[in-house]
Amino acid sequence: PEGILDTGPNAYHAFWSADSRHAAVIYRSDRHVAEFNLYEIAGNRARLMSGPSLFKDVTSREPTADDDLRNSSPEFEWRGTRRFLLKERRLFLTTDAGFARMLGPYGRIGENRGDGGFFVEFSAEADCVLVPGNRYRIVDLRVGKFGQ
């Protein structure tokens, strides 16, 4: 399948809701990039649910190839049958100082590489809720912990 780096038995991490009607799956799409998908399970089928990434909620856009994403590590935890905690940590390599400003308090400038490039860390966490129409929405977005 496209976008999946590793298909081994330990390549996927699933988080089932208490009622087994929803499952979150985290998997690697690149060596240092993990992805998050949320599914509704009904009628012996898994339907992909949609909702915003935390990065998109902060910046109004998804990362592009120009952003040079170096690392991405989502975390997921159920907080009830319809509520969950989502954390996103991403590391970018950029030469654009405006990129760090775009992230506001959700971004932190890291190591300068000396060649004009520097690392920028993005960290956010949110309480989310499942809503009708195979979607989820962010209820409370806040700055996450940096440097983990």
Side-chain angles (χ1 to χ4, degrees):
E2 188 176 323
I4 297 175
L5 174 70
D6 191 351
T7 58
N10 293 322
Y12 296 87
H13 300 280
F15 305 86
W16 287 89
S17 63
D19 63 3
S20 298
R21 294 187 58 211
H22 298 89
V25 178
I26 294 177
Y27 62 93
R28 289 189 316 147
S29 63
D30 197 54
R31 185 172 180 203
H32 298 288
V33 176
E35 304 287 341
F36 155 78
N37 282 340
L38 183 60
Y39 298 91
E40 177 184 41
I41 313 301
N44 293 326
R45 295 194 161 227
R47 284 191 218 112
L48 183 62
M49 299 184 75
S50 62
S53 73
L54 305 188
F55 184 89
K56 184 173 182 178
D57 202 67
V58 167
T59 64
S60 299
R61 69 174 183 80
E62 292 292 352
T64 67
D66 293 338
D67 295 330
D68 199 358
L69 178 63
R70 294 298 177 103
N71 189 301
S72 175
S73 56
E75 293 179 33
F76 185 93
E77 179 185 326
W78 285 105
R79 296 281 174 97
T81 55
R82 303 200 60 82
R83 299 181 74 82
F84 60 90
L85 173 66
L86 180 60
K87 297 180 182 180
E88 279 184 21
R89 289 180 182 80
R90 299 179 189 224
L91 183 67
F92 299 91
L93 178 61
T94 186
T95 56
D96 178 12
F99 181 79
R101 284 193 298 275
M102 173 184 66
L103 300 177
Y106 296 90
R108 183 173 78 174
I109 296 175
E111 176 188 344
N112 188 328
R113 293 182 26 133
D115 60 358
F118 54 93
F119 288 103
V120 175
E121 186 179 1
F122 170 82
S123 186
E125 60 182 56
D127 296 313
C128 301
V129 63
L130 304 177
V131 294
N134 277 343
R135 298 189 46 77
Y136 66 89
R137 70 177 177 87
I138 295 171
V139 176
D140 179 36
L141 177 69
R142 55 199 170 272
V143 175
K145 295 179 182 166
F146 291 97
Q148 293 184 349

